[in-house]
Amino acid sequence: MSLEDLRKKYTNQFRKDAQKQFDELQKKNQTSTDAYVDSVNKSYDAAATSMKSQTNQSIAALPQQYQRLYDTNELNRLIGERQAAETMANMGLTDSGLNRTQLAALQTAQNNADAALTQQKSAAARSREQQLNNYLAQIEQEKAQSAASAALNLQNQNNALWQNLYSNAESRADAYAQTDYNAEISRKNYQDQLKAAQYAAQQKQLEAQRAAQSKYPGIEYQAREIARDDPTGEK
């Protein structure tokens, strides 16, 4: 078999081995990547759940926080009413239109202050909800980026793996083919040398027989037998 044929033989064999090994390692890499992505997603999801809980608790606490301010507004109205009552009493205008006007003004001031607080409370709740939504959107973006990065790393890893396995398969094919080829050449050379040595020995023996024949004609028949066994066909 020629060296090129040997290369083709071993290349096909080792490429099949490389493909089988690649498929097995590729599955392991995919499993590892999936586990990593799942772990990252769980970490992000845990952070998102924690932030949702904190935000909901913060929003739920707003009414109690602002109730103190509502109470302050009411206290200010009551103080104003008491002061106005004392003033009107001192002036003898307890049931006057001025007294009623002042009381109405104090009530209006409380209502306006309460309305402002309600707006602030709603704005605070919306702000917390917006912060939560922004955080959750960022979480989803980072999860997507992490998954995309992991997929790219997996692709690069598999590409490098295949290049390495393919290169090794080619190198092994060349080495095995060259080894077999060299062994075949060595066997042929050995066989040729063996035949040459055998032929040389027979030639030497034939020459000796021919030399002896000239002195002893009776051994002519033996010389012919030796010549007949000559692998080269020479007589």
Side-chain angles (χ1 to χ4, degrees), residues 9 25 35 88 100-101 103 109 113 132 135 137 147 154 157 162 165 169 171 184-186 199 203 214:
K9 169 189 172 183
L25 293 176
M88 292 297 103
R100 288 191 292 273
T101 298
L103 293 178
L132 174 61
Y135 179 79
L154 174 62
Q157 184 179 12
W162 174 247
L165 292 174
S171 298
E184 182 64 23
I185 294 298
S186 297
Y199 175 72
Q203 283 293 102
S214 62

Side-chain angles (χ1 to χ4, degrees), residues 218-235:
I219 64 172
E220 181 179 358
Y221 174 76
Q222 295 179 0
R224 284 199 302 268
E225 288 298 310
I226 293 174
R228 184 173 60 82
D229 294 335
D230 183 358
T232 62
E234 294 184 1
K235 304 294 183 181

